[in-house]
Amino acid sequence: MTFKKNDLVEVQIEDMSQAGLGIGRADGYTMFVKDTVIGDQASVRITKVKKNYGFARLEKLLSPSALRTAPACPLARPCGGCQLQMMKYEEQLRWKEQKVRNDLRRLGGFSEIPMEPILGMEHPFRYRNKAQYPIGYDKEGNVTAGFYAGRTHTIIPAEDCLLGAPVNREILETILSWMRCYHIPAYRESSGEGLVRHVLIRTGFTTGELMVCLVINGQSLPRERELCERLRRIPGMASVSVCPNTRRDNVIMGDSFRTIFGSSTITDRIGRVQYRISPLSFYQVNPLQTKQLYRTALEYAGLTGQETVFDLYCGIGTISLFLAQKAKKVYGVEIIPQAVADARENAVLNQIEHAEFFVGKAEEVVPRLYAEQQLRADVVVVDPPRKGCGEPLLKTIADMSPERVVYVSCDPATLSRDLKFLCARGYALQRVQCVDMFPQTVHVETVVLMSRVKE
């Protein structure tokens, strides 16, 4: 049977894709269906037809799956940010663990996988310490804040996301009220006109400190004093800043910011380690699970106080300083100069003198330190971006022959590729731990321990 766009079809959802789309078949033709889970029998409408597969949207549930639950957020379907909110949380955890296991088998070639039970959350909502809200206009022309609908730049008005801190709603209402009062225009992507593009909100979960940064299409913000007067009334408000960004692209933040109230940073803690965070800092968004993640990385590192550790892609030193609690010496490497400056400040803040940080690409810095200064590591920790480590760096790590490599990954596919490379060069897979840093979404963090094989 040949299918075409807008056809109404009944399917049984048998699997789910990496992106969280339900996978069903009709007359042998595969369809990917948003907002469905394994076990659903559904009536779906085809939205796109390819030669061997198509995409469809859910029209009606004919027989709901036993894995399904009612989404807590009324905007879960149109927003699309929580791809798994219609799935029971224990099933989300099972699916994520299986997703990592499948990639390690299929892409890494591992048959024996020492997988430990995934670390989930007791309360899998309200966990995000960071939110970025686009600012625009609704259909009636009123200024609004929310999130982009899936695969679009259409703003779904949503001043209260159930993944974020409850105070976000009050902050957004305050900013929108100020914009309406003083006729401050929102940015329009279509024309490049208007001023306020995004609002960034950060919350120090352990300190209660709040940070607000307005990303603007220009260099100055009218009536900024009045804005600060309104925001400072919110308990915990510690920092308000503006971040110019006049580019016509999808990058949210600009390259610099200007503080207009309070401090340029807020402080948060992970365990006993304190971190100062600026609007431009990378900092894990789920502090409760970050503690689990770093504890796992520290355990896998197996430090006794005598080891030299390299922490690659170290950001503002979050893992570096956590490891420094039990290491003899830690070297952190990060390409972003401001992040390295933050890492050095955080080391001083915590009175850690045995952590040293280098600016540059890990692929270039590590080979140079190894060749020119004969620096070698007993333990290497890597926490790369989604694209993984890159072959030159992995080769240098293998040549350096650390006893252990701890790999922290946000992408099971590139993780599997890089582990395969290391296993072909003298390392063995020892332990695998998934950590659910992002409940209700398809994303998962994984910590892996690799040990050098004794000859």
Side-chain angles (χ1 to χ4, degrees), residues 165-239:
V167 72
N168 290 354
R169 173 194 283 274
E170 183 179 0
I171 292 171
L172 287 174
E173 288 176 347
T174 300
I175 293 171
L176 294 178
S177 174
W178 164 80
M179 290 179 68
R180 296 183 191 110
C181 179
Y182 294 106
H183 306 289
I184 307 296
Y187 180 69
R188 295 184 186 272
E189 278 194 1
S190 57
S191 64
E193 299 173 335
L195 185 63
V196 182
R197 301 177 66 145
H198 283 81
V199 171
L200 164 71
I201 305 173
R202 289 186 183 270
T203 307
F205 272 36
T206 60
T207 63
E209 295 179 357
L210 299 173
M211 168 182 286
V212 173
C213 180
L214 275 69
V215 182
I216 60 172
N217 179 40
Q219 299 299 319
S220 61
L221 184 67
R223 302 285 188 169
E224 63 181 39
R225 181 177 176 181
E226 286 83 353
L227 173 64
C228 293
E229 286 298 321
R230 294 178 181 220
L231 287 173
R232 69 188 301 175
R233 297 172 195 154
I234 299 173
M237 188 60 60
S239 173

Side-chain angles (χ1 to χ4, degrees), residues 63 67 69 76 113 130 164 183 206 281 301 396 419:
S63 178
L67 311 186
T69 188
I113 301 171
K130 174 186 174 183
H183 306 289
T206 60
S281 296
T396 301
L419 296 185

Side-chain angles (χ1 to χ4, degrees), residues 297-398:
L298 185 60
E299 179 188 343
Y300 283 12
L303 303 179
T304 65
Q306 301 303 311
E307 293 84 4
T308 297
V309 181
F310 278 17
D311 177 21
L312 311 182
Y313 311 95
C314 70
I316 65 170
T318 46
I319 294 183
S320 303
L321 301 181
F322 213 77
L323 295 167
Q325 297 174 98
K326 292 193 175 181
K328 180 180 180 181
K329 181 74 176 185
V330 176
Y331 294 100
V333 182
E334 170 60 50
I335 193 173
I336 301 172
Q338 182 58 52
V340 171
D342 290 343
R344 289 169 179 158
E345 286 187 17
N346 285 326
V348 172
L349 178 67
N350 290 278
Q351 300 180 325
I352 292 174
E353 297 179 351
H354 56 290
E356 189 173 347
F357 298 94
F358 297 89
V359 178
K361 292 182 179 179
E363 293 85 349
E364 297 172 359
V365 173
V366 174
R368 186 174 71 245
L369 294 175
Y370 181 54
E372 297 177 5
Q373 300 183 33
Q374 286 74 55
L375 286 180
R376 67 173 300 277
D378 302 295
V379 178
V380 171
V381 177
V382 294
D383 185 6
R386 196 163 287 278
K387 66 180 181 179
C389 282
E391 200 167 293
L393 176 59
L394 292 172
K395 185 177 184 303
T396 301
I397 291 173

